[in-house]
């Protein structure tokens, strides 16, 4: 499919895209923004479209992914830390579930096990533990999404072996 056919096909989908965007956002302005973001992303990634794929499904998947990513960004940006809490004198020992020296030793042991992972596994796993989503990790590390998922899986397997007696 050449660039002109691609653009015509995308233009013919505007009504479908708007309906899907409205379903996701439940707000006309947000739906229009989402539709515009999707159109730009699809045009920027035109070379990634494979001719034998379902074009409509591909475009709507791009839209859904943009919506999900934007939602996660909004949630992260709206997370509020209560500045009035005295973090220095916080009674963590009684509230953490690790109220014994043995409990804190276990956390240290887990941390050391994670740090002993090779960097290829440790980086995506640590980012995942920090709250990043798979696609954000892939983007940050510049590797395919499937690679991120498999590295996190292998990191978990490795940690399960190392920490098998841990209970």
């Amino acid at each position: 499919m050449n660039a002109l056919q691609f653009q015509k096909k995308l233009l013919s989908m505007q009504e479908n895209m708007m309906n899907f965007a409205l379903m996701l956002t439940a707000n006309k302005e947000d739906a229009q923004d989402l539709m515009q973001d999707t159109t730009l992303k699809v045009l920027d990634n035109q070379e990634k479209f494979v001719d034998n794929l379902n074009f409509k499904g591909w475009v709507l998947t791009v839209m859904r992914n943009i919506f999900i990513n934007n939602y996660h960004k909004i949630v992260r940006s709206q997370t509020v830390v209560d500045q009035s809490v005295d973090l220095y004198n916080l009674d963590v020992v009684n509230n953490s579930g690790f109220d014994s020296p043995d409990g804190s030793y276990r956390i240290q042991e887990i941390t050391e096990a994670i740090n002993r992972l090779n960097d290829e596994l440790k980086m995506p796993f640590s980012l995942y533990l920090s709250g990043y989503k798979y696609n954000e990790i892939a983007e940050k590390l510049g590797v395919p999404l499937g690679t991120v998922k498999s590295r996190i899986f292998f990191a978990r397997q490795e940690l399960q072996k190392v920490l098998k007696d841990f209970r």
Side-chain angles (χ1 to χ4, degrees):
M1 173 181 331
N2 67 33
L4 188 60
Q5 290 172 317
F6 188 90
Q7 291 168 4
K8 282 183 178 178
K9 208 166 188 177
L10 185 59
L11 281 173
S12 72
M13 285 194 51
Q14 296 296 296
E15 188 177 333
N16 289 337
M17 290 171 64
M18 188 60 178
N19 289 337
F20 189 57
L22 278 168
M23 187 183 80
L24 291 171
T25 63
N27 175 310
K28 189 171 183 168
E29 285 89 35
D30 290 342
Q32 289 170 335
D33 289 344
L34 179 59
M35 200 168 112
Q36 184 177 26
D37 290 347
T38 303
T39 302
L40 289 173
K41 184 96 167 181
V42 166
L43 289 172
D44 285 346
N45 292 288
Q46 178 175 338
E47 72 283 352
K48 293 180 182 173
F49 177 71
V50 181
D51 257 342
N52 62 353
L53 273 181
N54 172 356
F55 184 77
K56 180 179 176 183
W58 183 69
V59 171
L60 296 182
T61 298
V62 169
M63 179 178 281
R64 186 199 60 189
N65 291 344
I66 291 171
F67 174 76
I68 290 169
N69 291 341
N70 288 343
Y71 174 78
H72 288 303
K73 284 178 191 171
I74 290 167
V75 167
R76 271 198 307 276
S77 71
Q78 291 179 349
T79 301
V80 178
V81 177
D82 185 357
Q83 299 294 329
S84 66
V85 174
D86 180 6
L87 296 176
Y88 183 75
N89 293 311
L90 197 60
D91 190 10
V92 174
V93 172
N94 292 331
N95 293 326
S96 68
F98 301 106
D99 51 359
S100 68
D102 189 43
S104 61
Y105 173 74
R106 288 180 176 178
I107 292 296
Q108 184 179 357
E109 193 177 355
I110 294 169
T111 304
E112 287 172 6
I114 292 170
N115 288 333
R116 283 193 300 267
L117 291 171
N118 70 48
D119 283 342
E120 199 173 77
L121 299 179
K122 181 172 48 176
M123 283 301 297
F125 187 75
S126 296
L127 289 169
Y128 183 75
L129 286 180
S130 298
Y132 287 90
K133 304 294 177 218
Y134 289 130
N135 59 331
E136 294 169 328
I137 297 168
E139 193 174 303
K140 193 173 195 70
L141 298 179
V143 296
L145 182 64
T147 303
V148 168
K149 289 179 178 181
S150 63
R151 287 180 181 172
I152 290 171
F153 173 79
F154 291 132
R156 285 181 177 146
Q157 278 189 323
E158 188 68 30
L159 290 170
Q160 285 174 348
K161 277 188 245 171
V162 172
L163 301 169
K164 68 181 179 292
D165 298 328
F166 196 83
R167 297 231 187 266

